[in-house]
Amino acid sequence: MRSPSTLLLFVFVLALTVFSVIVVWPSDPDRYLPGNFWPKGQGLSIGGWDRATMRLGLDLRGGSYLVLQATPPKDYEGDINQAIDVAKSVIDRRVNAFGVSEPEIQKTNGNRITVQVPGLSLTDATDLIGKTAQLEFRVIDASGNPVPAQGVVDGKTLTMSGQYLKNNTYPSQEGTTYAVNFETNSTGSRLMEQITTNALRFQETDERRLLLIYLDDKVISQATVQSVISNKGQITGQASFSAARTLSKQLNAGALPVPLTVIQSQEVSATLGEDSVRASVNAGQIGLLAVALFMILYYRLPGVLASLALIVYTSVTLMVFKVWPVTLTLSGIAAFVLSVGMAVDANILIFERMKEELRRGRTLNTAIDLGFRRAWTSIRDSNISTLITCLILYYFGNQFGASLVKGFALTLALGVTISMFSAITVSRTFLKMVVGTPLARSHWLFNAEETKVAPRVRKPVEAAGGK
């Protein structure tokens, strides 16, 4: 009998696979799959976020190219070279927060920064990169006059800037509009509490007090102060989820130390293009079929189940790449094709241990449990070693601004983590579903027939010294 937990896991894996395939299904599958009978994909919308295609790199799809000129104010007293270095880091955090977008950001002569971003239009790239993103909270009365501080800073208008927000803001949908949710740090909590308390305390008239939120001296949101606000809040009134997400990225990355002006912008074409994408997809399909064929021929029924688990691994990994999103370059696609073969390593260790237990006369259920138990330490240690390597690569890539290294490290870490889930959870669930069926009684299906050893024939020993 199959346990209820096994049935629940099987239903979960099945639902996850179906959802993943729906998410990653291309809008025009005939371009990548053989035949002309595949249904057309319609893309996916999650919380107002439309992502109909994979995000491809500059080599496969092209993107936007911007030249930014630093324009510090006349009274700027800081080191302009240092400010540009900081601005370069801020831009990298905006467009490459998780290390998987693979932009090209360079500091050039004349206080300029050149940026190439894959998969973004010129408008989106300019909005995300070019704004200084100086955020400020101010309280005004109904006449539009600033509310002065009372008992805090005498004679001055109390304000708070975006530097006191934590870098964990996130966009959300609020009814028919969109918002950015934020939290303040300890200093920001005190300032926000003082601002809103001061607004409520100012009671010469009964007119309302408005909390205005400015971005680069432009009002982007307003709210009526009804109670004291301290450690968290919302910036409402965003026109779209894309606008809310852009503002969230800008706030999380921080403000630019000096204003940057876009002096040149153009779209750049792909260096390789659609043919390379199609060839890479074909290579992935051939690799997947080759690995599946080997597993089925050598391991028989477990090989079939491992091949099904490999399909789950492929669909889930591509779903994560698409929703995250991970920018796929040609080298990234090649690494993913390679990971398909690596994903079955754990299955091979498990199946070999299972065969040993079946040959000792164990039942299939016991052989599965013992096989996974005996193989787990090897699987754990090898994957932890790979994850440690990924951590080191990501750290040094972040230290030296090598986005390609960061992207490779994070992509590999995602693949390793999902492959562990595929081998330990998916493969085990599929094997457990076989327990109790007629298939479980055939050792041949598990390539675990008992090996017959020919008996050894002893030669007669002649007595010493005579015939």
Side-chain angles (χ1 to χ4, degrees), residues 132-454:
T132 308
Q134 290 283 359
L135 193 74
E136 191 173 25
F137 297 80
R138 307 175 190 169
V139 176
I140 65 170
D141 59 25
S143 301
N145 300 314
V147 175
Q150 297 291 322
V152 182
V153 184
D154 293 338
K156 295 183 178 179
T157 303
L158 198 57
T159 63
M160 188 190 82
S161 65
Q163 64 178 315
Y164 301 113
L165 300 184
K166 295 181 179 179
N167 60 348
N168 61 350
T169 67
Y170 62 94
S172 64
Q173 184 171 359
E174 302 295 328
T176 58
T177 61
Y178 301 89
V180 174
N181 301 269
F182 66 86
E183 293 184 27
T184 55
N185 57 25
S186 57
T187 303
S189 296
R190 291 194 299 271
L191 286 172
M192 183 65 74
E193 185 174 357
Q194 291 170 359
I195 290 172
T196 52
T197 300
N198 181 61
L200 292 173
R201 188 188 299 125
F202 192 77
Q203 307 225 353
E204 293 182 3
T205 65
D206 293 329
E207 58 190 9
R208 64 177 183 169
R209 307 288 182 264
L210 292 178
L211 176 64
L212 298 186
I213 303 176
Y214 291 79
L215 182 69
D216 296 340
D217 289 327
K218 294 181 180 179
V219 177
I220 61 171
S221 182
Q222 66 179 36
T224 302
V225 180
Q226 298 176 340
S227 61
V228 176
I229 303 173
S230 57
N231 61 341
K232 61 178 59 178
Q234 280 187 333
I235 302 174
T236 58
Q238 302 302 299
S240 64
F241 189 85
S242 177
R245 186 176 70 246
T246 297
L247 176 58
S248 175
K249 288 182 179 180
Q250 291 170 337
L251 297 180
N252 289 337
L256 294 171
V258 291
L260 296 177
T261 303
V262 179
I263 61 174
Q264 181 182 347
S265 62
Q266 65 184 44
E267 294 183 352
V268 293
S269 59
T271 56
L272 296 175
E274 182 66 25
D275 291 340
S276 297
V277 177
R278 191 178 295 110
S280 300
V281 173
N282 291 337
Q285 294 171 4
I286 294 172
L288 182 64
L289 291 175
V291 171
L293 182 62
F294 167 78
M295 294 296 292
I296 293 171
L297 291 177
Y298 190 80
Y299 290 103
R300 300 172 188 172
L301 180 59
V304 174
L305 301 179
S307 300
L308 295 176
L310 199 59
I311 294 174
V312 176
Y313 164 77
T314 302
S315 60
V316 172
T317 304
L318 290 177
M319 178 192 68
V320 174
F321 287 174
K322 189 172 187 178
V323 174
W324 190 286
V326 174
T327 300
L328 291 176
T329 60
L330 187 62
S331 59
I333 295 177
F336 171 70
V337 173
L338 178 62
S339 73
V340 171
M342 298 171 59
V344 299
D345 287 352
N347 285 315
I348 292 174
L349 290 173
I350 294 166
F351 294 162
E352 289 296 331
R353 302 290 82 78
M354 281 179 52
K355 285 166 56 177
E356 294 174 0
E357 299 302 328
L358 288 171
R359 286 170 178 168
R360 291 172 181 171
R362 310 279 191 185
T363 63
L364 177 59
N365 192 47
T366 304
I368 293 172
D369 292 335
L370 291 176
F372 273 83
R373 189 182 308 163
R374 293 179 58 191
W376 165 243
T377 53
S378 299
I379 297 171
R380 178 199 62 197
D381 293 346
S382 63
N383 283 283
I384 288 177
S385 299
T386 305
L387 290 174
I388 291 174
T389 303
C390 293
L391 182 63
I392 294 172
L393 287 173
Y394 188 91
Y395 173 78
F396 282 103
N398 187 55
Q399 292 295 311
F400 296 104
S403 59
L404 287 174
V405 176
K406 288 172 61 179
F408 174 81
L410 189 54
T411 303
L412 180 58
L414 287 173
V416 168
T417 304
I418 298 173
S419 69
M420 289 183 66
F421 165 77
S422 171
I424 302 302
T425 301
V426 179
S427 296
R428 185 182 187 126
T429 300
F430 288 168
L431 286 167
K432 286 286 188 177
M433 291 296 294
V434 177
V435 175
T437 67
L439 298 174
R441 293 193 289 268
S442 173
H443 279 202
W444 183 88
L445 288 175
F446 293 87
N447 195 15
E449 305 96 323
E450 294 182 4
T451 305
K452 294 183 179 180
V453 180

